[in-house]
Amino acid sequence: MPANPKVIRLGERFEGLKALRSGHEPMMQEAQTYVTPNRAEFRSTGSTTSTRNQDSTKNLYDHTAVWANQMFANGMASYLMPKSDRWAYLKPAGKPSADLSDEELVFLEKLSNRVSHILALPSSQFYSAGHEAFHDLGSFGTSVTYVDRTGPVIAFRSCPLADCYFDVNHIGQVDTMFYRKYISTKALIQQFPEVVNVEGFNPEETTQKHELVYSVEPNKDIQAQHNGKVGNTRPFVTTYYLPALHHILKEGGISYFPYLVPRWMVIAGEVWGRGPATTCMAQIRVINKMVKELLISAEISNAPPLVAEEDSIMLPISYGSRQILFHEQGTNVPTPLVSGSQPQITLELLRDYRDQISRSFFTDQIIRDQKKERQSVIEIQDDRSQMLQQIGPLLARMETELLAPAIEQVIDHMQDKNDPLFDEMPDSLSEGSMEIVFTSPAAHAQYASGVGNISGFLQDIAPMIPHKPELLENIEANEMFNELARMRNVSRKIIVSKEKVEEKAAAQQEQQMQEQQMQQLPQMAGAMKDVAQARSSDPEGMGELLNM
């Protein structure tokens, strides 16, 4: 039977992606050994399983890198996507928030809250998948998360990096993914019942593992340029196939790329990312070797070898605690062999290397040492803002490749499911695109300069106000209030709308005018009374005076 040309092309493409990753695999395998020993091994790519076959921790003597990577993942998750607070909102692209109406602001806040609610649902598993993604980013520099939009609730699943092979397009975005997994014969038949008819497949071999590859590639059909959702207009094509049997099980299309592939740092010309573990891998190897040697040295110091003259010890030789060793009368007593090692020097080097590893994973920024003196809340917030500003440029890629695509996937899924919230969308927002504004603690640290500028300006002019109060007339208090509320991500529910503020100001102005008129009424009444009395006493003179 001639080979299927599609299978041949898929196989060649798969081998090409393997070759693309091959240069990074030794580095990623070291990271798996010393930083994340519970992850799948990259050296097992040619075996029948992609999981750990043996305990990798038996060669791990120091856990500094493991701890540092855990703190890195915890810090990134808490600073970029805290579950307890909304960390992003939506707004029309190219339109400042100050120019939006209250109706638009209320809808956008409802939509942002709805997205945050969906991401926080237990069935979506977004936060657990995100935390696992930061674990992979710290150790390997790349992570892969699968997005499942087939159910009523969008779901996020972390994928073993050892089983993922991908490529990017001309602008550096990941648009091709080959994900392999090894499943049993029973599971393969349950997912694809027609596999029993494939030549070479034996349904009776229940213990055999089969390599199943799921590929997602850009659709080269010209109709796919319209990004449709049916037939050949869908921008991506999907394929399930068995490389060993050279058979395609299922072909189809998809209207979205179902993987999130954030990378910590990408060197020009490369596809795979590099993480903090790559920066300090030399120190990780050295400290692992140093701790191993230190343990051996401690063992030798605690139980050193004995030096004795030939034929001076009587058999049997007993060696251990609370044992008696007999020797010939007149011979020298066996003495321990002192190596002369100095473990304190090794301990000093260990502290230095551990500090270097911790700094490479930014744990010195994530976990700030508390000062001995008492600090105010403002001082603590300033310290945290300074820390987040220092690592802010490194977090921008996480927002671009992980958080923003996740929010876009949620909104697309809501539209596909005809969420009733979109019925409330104002007509002014139905046309045009949306953009995502991040309000996480890390994003707020970048806005801190704006808040600080306003606060500093007010402090600068405060001494001048008592001497020249009219300076306050140069400040638009309402605009400054709204700007600070936006920078602090204050909910629109507790901010009075612009229309209400204007109505209240108009009502107050009208009331003031009425009060002024009421105050002028007694004066006008007195004047009219005087005129009446003057007319009655001297009508002709008053007439000439008044020109009447």
Side-chain angles (χ1 to χ4, degrees), residues 404-547:
I407 294 176
E408 292 171 358
Q409 294 272 15
V410 172
I411 295 175
D412 290 343
H413 184 260
M414 292 173 60
Q415 292 177 333
D416 292 342
K417 298 299 181 181
N418 297 319
D419 195 293
L421 178 61
F422 290 99
D423 296 336
E424 305 177 14
M425 178 183 290
D427 296 336
S428 57
L429 297 178
S430 59
E431 298 180 359
S433 58
M434 293 282 184
E435 64 181 10
I436 301 171
V437 180
F438 293 96
T439 58
S440 62
H444 270 300
Q446 311 307 315
Y447 303 146
S449 59
V451 177
N453 291 337
I454 296 176
S455 301
F457 171 71
L458 294 177
Q459 291 177 1
D460 291 340
I461 67 173
M464 305 167 60
I465 300 302
H467 305 286
K468 201 171 183 179
E470 59 270 17
L471 289 176
L472 292 176
E473 299 177 359
N474 298 321
I475 299 177
E476 289 287 348
N478 292 335
E479 294 297 332
M480 183 178 64
F481 177 83
N482 291 327
E483 186 69 11
L484 288 173
R486 182 187 65 82
M487 291 181 178
R488 293 294 188 185
N489 193 28
V490 179
S491 174
R492 299 300 306 180
K493 296 179 181 179
I494 64 175
I495 302 295
V496 180
S497 64
K498 295 180 181 179
E499 287 78 4
K500 291 183 179 180
V501 171
E502 293 175 355
E503 291 176 1
K504 187 176 181 180
Q508 289 179 351
Q509 186 176 3
E510 183 178 358
Q511 184 179 1
Q512 291 176 357
M513 293 178 62
Q514 292 177 355
E515 291 177 354
Q516 291 177 359
Q517 292 176 358
M518 292 297 294
Q519 292 175 358
Q520 294 175 358
L521 283 177
Q523 300 176 359
M524 295 177 62
M528 294 300 295
K529 182 179 180 181
D530 295 340
V531 171
Q533 292 176 355
R535 278 187 174 183
S536 62
S537 61
D538 187 11
E540 295 181 359
M542 284 301 298
E544 294 178 359
L545 179 64
L546 296 175
N547 224 1

Side-chain angles (χ1 to χ4, degrees), residues 61-62 64 286-287 289-298 301 341-356:
Y61 296 93
D62 184 82
T64 301
V286 170
I287 196 174
K289 180 67 174 178
M290 290 174 64
V291 172
K292 179 180 178 181
E293 294 297 328
L294 187 61
L295 293 174
I296 296 175
S297 176
S301 299
S341 61
Q342 297 180 348
Q344 65 275 10
I345 299 178
T346 305
L347 293 176
E348 293 178 1
L349 292 174
L350 283 177
R351 282 192 292 268
D352 184 36
Y353 277 100
R354 283 171 177 162
D355 289 342
Q356 295 180 31

Side-chain angles (χ1 to χ4, degrees), residues 39 73 127-137 143 157-159:
R39 289 292 194 271
Y127 287 96
S128 58
H131 188 258
E132 294 176 9
F134 286 120
H135 267 281
D136 286 348
L137 286 167
S143 70
R157 305 285 185 269
S158 180
C159 300

